[in-house]
Short mmCIF file of all heavy atoms in Angstrom, two decimals:
data_model
loop_
_atom_site.label_atom_id
_atom_site.label_comp_id
_atom_site.label_asym_id
_atom_site.label_seq_id
_atom_site.Cartn_x
_atom_site.Cartn_y
_atom_site.Cartn_z
N ALA A 235 134.97 143.45 169.03
CA ALA A 235 134.38 142.31 169.73
C ALA A 235 135.37 141.19 169.97
O ALA A 235 135.31 140.51 171.00
CB ALA A 235 133.19 141.79 168.92
N HIS A 236 136.30 140.97 169.02
CA HIS A 236 137.14 139.77 169.12
C HIS A 236 138.63 140.05 169.00
O HIS A 236 139.42 139.12 168.95
CB HIS A 236 136.74 138.75 168.05
CG HIS A 236 135.28 138.44 168.03
ND1 HIS A 236 134.66 137.76 169.04
CD2 HIS A 236 134.31 138.75 167.12
CE1 HIS A 236 133.35 137.64 168.75
NE2 HIS A 236 133.12 138.24 167.61
N GLY A 237 139.01 141.31 168.89
CA GLY A 237 140.44 141.63 168.74
C GLY A 237 141.00 141.16 167.42
O GLY A 237 142.20 140.89 167.28
N TYR A 238 140.13 141.08 166.40
CA TYR A 238 140.59 140.66 165.06
C TYR A 238 141.66 141.63 164.58
O TYR A 238 141.48 142.86 164.63
CB TYR A 238 139.39 140.64 164.09
CG TYR A 238 139.79 140.66 162.64
CD1 TYR A 238 140.41 139.54 162.06
CD2 TYR A 238 139.57 141.78 161.83
CE1 TYR A 238 140.79 139.56 160.73
CE2 TYR A 238 139.95 141.80 160.51
CZ TYR A 238 140.56 140.69 159.96
OH TYR A 238 140.94 140.71 158.64
N ALA A 239 142.80 141.09 164.10
CA ALA A 239 143.93 141.97 163.78
C ALA A 239 144.41 141.88 162.33
O ALA A 239 145.48 142.39 161.99
CB ALA A 239 145.09 141.63 164.72
N GLY A 240 143.60 141.24 161.46
CA GLY A 240 144.02 141.09 160.05
C GLY A 240 144.23 142.44 159.38
O GLY A 240 143.55 143.42 159.69
N THR A 241 145.17 142.48 158.45
CA THR A 241 145.52 143.77 157.84
C THR A 241 145.11 143.89 156.38
O THR A 241 145.18 144.97 155.80
CB THR A 241 147.04 144.02 157.93
OG1 THR A 241 147.69 142.88 157.35
CG2 THR A 241 147.50 144.20 159.36
N ILE A 242 144.72 142.77 155.75
CA ILE A 242 144.41 142.81 154.31
C ILE A 242 142.91 142.87 154.09
O ILE A 242 142.14 142.17 154.75
CB ILE A 242 144.98 141.55 153.59
CG1 ILE A 242 146.50 141.52 153.69
CG2 ILE A 242 144.52 141.49 152.14
CD1 ILE A 242 147.14 140.27 153.10
N LEU A 243 142.50 143.70 153.16
CA LEU A 243 141.11 143.67 152.69
C LEU A 243 141.15 143.56 151.17
O LEU A 243 141.60 144.48 150.48
CB LEU A 243 140.34 144.93 153.11
CG LEU A 243 138.91 145.03 152.53
CD1 LEU A 243 138.06 143.82 152.93
CD2 LEU A 243 138.23 146.32 152.98
N ASN A 244 140.71 142.40 150.67
CA ASN A 244 140.69 142.17 149.23
C ASN A 244 139.26 142.36 148.74
O ASN A 244 138.36 141.65 149.17
CB ASN A 244 141.19 140.74 148.96
CG ASN A 244 141.30 140.43 147.48
OD1 ASN A 244 140.60 141.01 146.67
ND2 ASN A 244 142.19 139.51 147.15
N LEU A 245 139.08 143.35 147.88
CA LEU A 245 137.72 143.69 147.43
C LEU A 245 137.33 143.01 146.12
O LEU A 245 136.33 143.37 145.49
CB LEU A 245 137.57 145.21 147.29
CG LEU A 245 137.59 145.98 148.62
CD1 LEU A 245 137.66 147.49 148.38
CD2 LEU A 245 136.37 145.65 149.48
N GLY A 246 138.12 142.01 145.69
CA GLY A 246 137.72 141.20 144.54
C GLY A 246 137.88 141.90 143.21
O GLY A 246 138.49 142.95 143.09
N GLY A 247 137.31 141.25 142.19
CA GLY A 247 137.42 141.79 140.82
C GLY A 247 136.10 142.38 140.39
O GLY A 247 135.26 142.72 141.22
N GLY A 248 135.93 142.51 139.07
CA GLY A 248 134.61 142.88 138.57
C GLY A 248 134.51 144.14 137.75
O GLY A 248 133.41 144.48 137.29
N PHE A 249 135.61 144.86 137.54
CA PHE A 249 135.50 146.09 136.74
C PHE A 249 135.00 145.76 135.32
O PHE A 249 135.50 144.85 134.68
CB PHE A 249 136.84 146.81 136.63
CG PHE A 249 137.34 147.37 137.94
CD1 PHE A 249 138.65 147.20 138.34
CD2 PHE A 249 136.48 148.08 138.78
CE1 PHE A 249 139.11 147.71 139.53
CE2 PHE A 249 136.94 148.60 139.98
CZ PHE A 249 138.25 148.41 140.37
N GLY A 250 134.05 146.55 134.85
CA GLY A 250 133.42 146.30 133.55
C GLY A 250 134.33 146.61 132.37
O GLY A 250 135.33 147.32 132.49
N VAL A 251 133.97 146.05 131.23
CA VAL A 251 134.73 146.24 129.99
C VAL A 251 133.75 146.58 128.87
O VAL A 251 132.64 146.05 128.82
CB VAL A 251 135.50 144.95 129.64
CG1 VAL A 251 136.04 145.01 128.22
CG2 VAL A 251 136.63 144.71 130.62
N ARG A 252 134.19 147.44 127.98
CA ARG A 252 133.36 147.86 126.86
C ARG A 252 133.45 146.82 125.73
O ARG A 252 134.50 146.66 125.11
CB ARG A 252 133.93 149.19 126.39
CG ARG A 252 133.02 149.99 125.60
CD ARG A 252 133.41 151.45 125.63
NE ARG A 252 132.37 152.16 124.96
CZ ARG A 252 132.54 152.83 123.84
NH1 ARG A 252 133.74 152.92 123.29
NH2 ARG A 252 131.52 153.43 123.27
N TYR A 253 132.34 146.14 125.48
CA TYR A 253 132.29 145.14 124.41
C TYR A 253 131.74 145.72 123.12
O TYR A 253 132.07 145.27 122.04
CB TYR A 253 131.43 143.95 124.83
CG TYR A 253 132.13 143.01 125.80
CD1 TYR A 253 132.05 143.19 127.17
CD2 TYR A 253 132.89 141.94 125.33
CE1 TYR A 253 132.69 142.34 128.06
CE2 TYR A 253 133.53 141.07 126.20
CZ TYR A 253 133.43 141.28 127.57
OH TYR A 253 134.08 140.43 128.42
N THR A 254 130.81 146.66 123.25
CA THR A 254 130.20 147.27 122.06
C THR A 254 130.12 148.78 122.30
O THR A 254 130.31 149.26 123.42
CB THR A 254 128.75 146.77 121.83
OG1 THR A 254 127.91 147.33 122.84
CG2 THR A 254 128.66 145.25 121.86
N GLU A 255 129.80 149.50 121.23
CA GLU A 255 129.68 150.96 121.33
C GLU A 255 128.59 151.37 122.32
O GLU A 255 128.60 152.48 122.84
CB GLU A 255 129.34 151.57 119.96
CG GLU A 255 130.38 151.31 118.86
CD GLU A 255 131.62 152.19 118.98
OE1 GLU A 255 131.61 153.12 119.82
OE2 GLU A 255 132.60 151.91 118.25
N ASP A 256 127.64 150.47 122.58
CA ASP A 256 126.55 150.81 123.51
C ASP A 256 126.98 150.74 124.97
O ASP A 256 126.29 151.26 125.85
CB ASP A 256 125.36 149.85 123.33
CG ASP A 256 124.77 149.95 121.95
OD1 ASP A 256 124.97 151.01 121.31
OD2 ASP A 256 124.12 148.98 121.50
N ASP A 257 128.07 150.03 125.24
CA ASP A 257 128.53 149.93 126.64
C ASP A 257 129.16 151.25 127.06
O ASP A 257 129.79 151.93 126.25
CB ASP A 257 129.61 148.84 126.79
CG ASP A 257 129.01 147.45 126.68
OD1 ASP A 257 127.83 147.28 127.02
OD2 ASP A 257 129.74 146.54 126.26
N PRO A 258 129.03 151.59 128.34
CA PRO A 258 129.70 152.81 128.81
C PRO A 258 131.22 152.65 128.77
O PRO A 258 131.72 151.52 128.76
CB PRO A 258 129.23 152.94 130.26
CG PRO A 258 128.50 151.69 130.60
CD PRO A 258 128.30 150.88 129.37
N THR A 259 131.92 153.77 128.75
CA THR A 259 133.38 153.68 128.88
C THR A 259 133.70 153.81 130.37
O THR A 259 132.97 154.47 131.10
CB THR A 259 134.10 154.83 128.15
OG1 THR A 259 133.39 156.02 128.45
CG2 THR A 259 134.17 154.62 126.67
N ILE A 260 134.77 153.17 130.78
CA ILE A 260 135.20 153.36 132.17
C ILE A 260 136.58 153.98 132.14
O ILE A 260 137.48 153.48 131.46
CB ILE A 260 135.31 152.02 132.93
CG1 ILE A 260 133.93 151.39 133.15
CG2 ILE A 260 135.98 152.22 134.28
CD1 ILE A 260 133.93 150.26 134.16
N ASP A 261 136.73 155.07 132.88
CA ASP A 261 138.06 155.63 133.05
C ASP A 261 138.59 154.99 134.34
O ASP A 261 138.30 155.43 135.45
CB ASP A 261 137.92 157.16 133.17
CG ASP A 261 139.24 157.82 133.50
OD1 ASP A 261 140.28 157.11 133.50
OD2 ASP A 261 139.24 159.03 133.77
N TYR A 262 139.34 153.90 134.16
CA TYR A 262 139.72 153.08 135.33
C TYR A 262 140.46 153.87 136.41
O TYR A 262 140.14 153.72 137.59
CB TYR A 262 140.53 151.85 134.90
CG TYR A 262 139.75 150.89 134.01
CD1 TYR A 262 139.92 150.90 132.63
CD2 TYR A 262 138.84 149.99 134.54
CE1 TYR A 262 139.21 150.03 131.81
CE2 TYR A 262 138.11 149.12 133.73
CZ TYR A 262 138.31 149.15 132.36
OH TYR A 262 137.59 148.30 131.57
N PRO A 263 141.45 154.72 136.04
CA PRO A 263 142.15 155.44 137.11
C PRO A 263 141.20 156.31 137.95
O PRO A 263 141.30 156.33 139.18
CB PRO A 263 143.18 156.30 136.36
CG PRO A 263 143.42 155.56 135.09
CD PRO A 263 142.11 154.93 134.73
N SER A 264 140.24 156.99 137.27
CA SER A 264 139.32 157.82 138.07
C SER A 264 138.40 156.94 138.93
O SER A 264 138.02 157.32 140.05
CB SER A 264 138.43 158.70 137.21
OG SER A 264 139.02 159.04 136.05
N TYR A 265 138.02 155.82 138.35
CA TYR A 265 137.16 154.88 139.05
C TYR A 265 137.84 154.38 140.33
O TYR A 265 137.26 154.40 141.42
CB TYR A 265 136.97 153.72 138.08
CG TYR A 265 135.77 152.83 138.27
CD1 TYR A 265 134.54 153.15 137.68
CD2 TYR A 265 135.88 151.63 138.96
CE1 TYR A 265 133.46 152.29 137.81
CE2 TYR A 265 134.80 150.78 139.09
CZ TYR A 265 133.59 151.12 138.51
OH TYR A 265 132.53 150.27 138.64
N VAL A 266 139.10 154.00 140.19
CA VAL A 266 139.87 153.51 141.34
C VAL A 266 140.07 154.63 142.36
O VAL A 266 139.95 154.43 143.57
CB VAL A 266 141.23 152.91 140.88
CG1 VAL A 266 142.13 152.58 142.06
CG2 VAL A 266 141.00 151.66 140.02
N CYS A 267 140.34 155.83 141.83
CA CYS A 267 140.57 156.98 142.70
C CYS A 267 139.30 157.28 143.51
O CYS A 267 139.35 157.51 144.74
CB CYS A 267 140.96 158.16 141.82
SG CYS A 267 141.06 159.70 142.68
N ALA A 268 138.13 157.22 142.83
CA ALA A 268 136.86 157.48 143.54
C ALA A 268 136.64 156.42 144.61
O ALA A 268 136.20 156.73 145.73
CB ALA A 268 135.71 157.47 142.53
#
Side-chain angles (χ1 to χ4, degrees):
H236 308 292
Y238 162 69
T241 54
I242 297 176
L243 174 58
N244 184 332
L245 291 171
F249 293 134
V251 168
R252 200 158 186 244
Y253 283 89
T254 71
E255 300 283 351
D256 298 338
D257 287 332
T259 44
I260 292 194
D261 174 7
Y262 297 100
S264 331
Y265 201 87
V266 172
C267 172

